[in-house]
Amino acid sequence: ISICQDLPNIEVITFSVNGISDLEPLNQCQNLSELYLRKNNITSLNELFYLKNLPRLRVLWLSENPCCGSDPHRYRMTVLRNLPSLQKLDNQAVTEEELSQALVDGEEITAPPARRSVENGCPESTQSSAAESTTETASELLNFSLEETNKIREELGMKPVPRDKFSSFSPRETDCKRKTRNNVLNAILLLMKELDAEGLEIIQQAVGRRLQAFQKKELQEE
């Protein structure tokens, strides 16, 4: 998600089921209008602090994160109190009555969350994230990542990735490495939206050279 710091003009971000716990990289995305983050490891609603200054944010999907807690009313009211410009939260339209009620029942967030320590680039495990991860099997994670990736590829006019090709990305990788690889793939596809024809041609040439190098290496190993 850190790649978003270099995408100030991006308008739609889809990072569902990616083990994301930190929303700070999004605070520079001033044109962001839609943000999809369901089924991640966001443990604190204080992460909303980084979204409060995004003037165009209208759609947020944050459900099935540990920060939602056991009280759905308090969760929704807190989100709407801090992000009153939302038109849709968790695929449900926001009403004027809810926005008014949020001023009473919601909690005002005035500071960012305290950070947990990290090791080898992966957030330290917590009870909440561990409990959340057990609800998502490896197969479900793969299917959802494939669906999300192919949706982006379709928007870019690219052919979808076959499931057998996609699964070869991470059969023996650790969970952290798999999520990192999927994040990189999604980030590259999102970055391509920012390029013109000349930029895409440069990418195509670079990818061609990279593939040739891999093919040459495979032949040498055989």
Side-chain angles (χ1 to χ4, degrees), residues 18-29:
N18 267 295
I20 291 169
S21 59
D22 175 10
L23 300 186
E24 185 173 4
L26 301 177
N27 65 357
Q28 299 299 319
C29 301

Side-chain angles (χ1 to χ4, degrees), residues 44-78:
S44 172
L45 284 176
N46 280 35
E47 293 291 340
L48 296 175
F49 178 82
Y50 300 116
L51 306 181
K52 293 181 70 171
N53 293 321
L54 303 183
R56 300 185 179 181
L57 187 61
R58 296 293 181 268
V59 177
L60 174 65
W61 200 331
L62 193 61
S63 64
E64 298 175 86
N65 274 277
C67 66
C68 298
S70 58
D71 186 343
H73 177 75
R74 177 184 174 278
Y75 152 71
R76 189 171 177 88
M77 291 296 99
T78 296

Side-chain angles (χ1 to χ4, degrees), residues 178-196:
R178 181 176 64 247
K179 290 176 180 177
T180 298
R181 183 169 290 177
N182 286 342
N183 284 343
V184 171
L185 176 62
N186 284 332
I188 290 172
L189 293 172
L190 288 168
L191 277 167
M192 288 175 63
K193 288 186 176 182
E194 304 288 318
L195 298 176
D196 57 12

Side-chain angles (χ1 to χ4, degrees), residues 33 57-62 75-103:
S33 62
L57 187 61
R58 296 293 181 268
V59 177
L60 174 65
W61 200 331
L62 193 61
Y75 152 71
R76 189 171 177 88
M77 291 296 99
T78 296
V79 174
L80 295 181
R81 175 163 182 172
N82 291 277
L83 303 174
S85 295
L86 287 181
Q87 296 175 354
K88 185 174 287 189
L89 173 60
D90 298 337
N91 207 33
Q92 182 178 340
V94 176
T95 66
E96 291 294 333
E97 290 77 8
E98 283 184 310
L99 292 175
S100 298
Q101 191 64 37
L103 296 174

Side-chain angles (χ1 to χ4, degrees), residues 155-174:
E155 292 174 355
L156 294 169
M158 303 168 65
K159 293 182 179 180
V161 180
R163 193 184 191 287
D164 59 336
K165 297 291 185 181
F166 193 86
S167 62
S168 68
F169 290 164
S170 53
R172 293 182 293 274
E173 298 289 333
T174 63

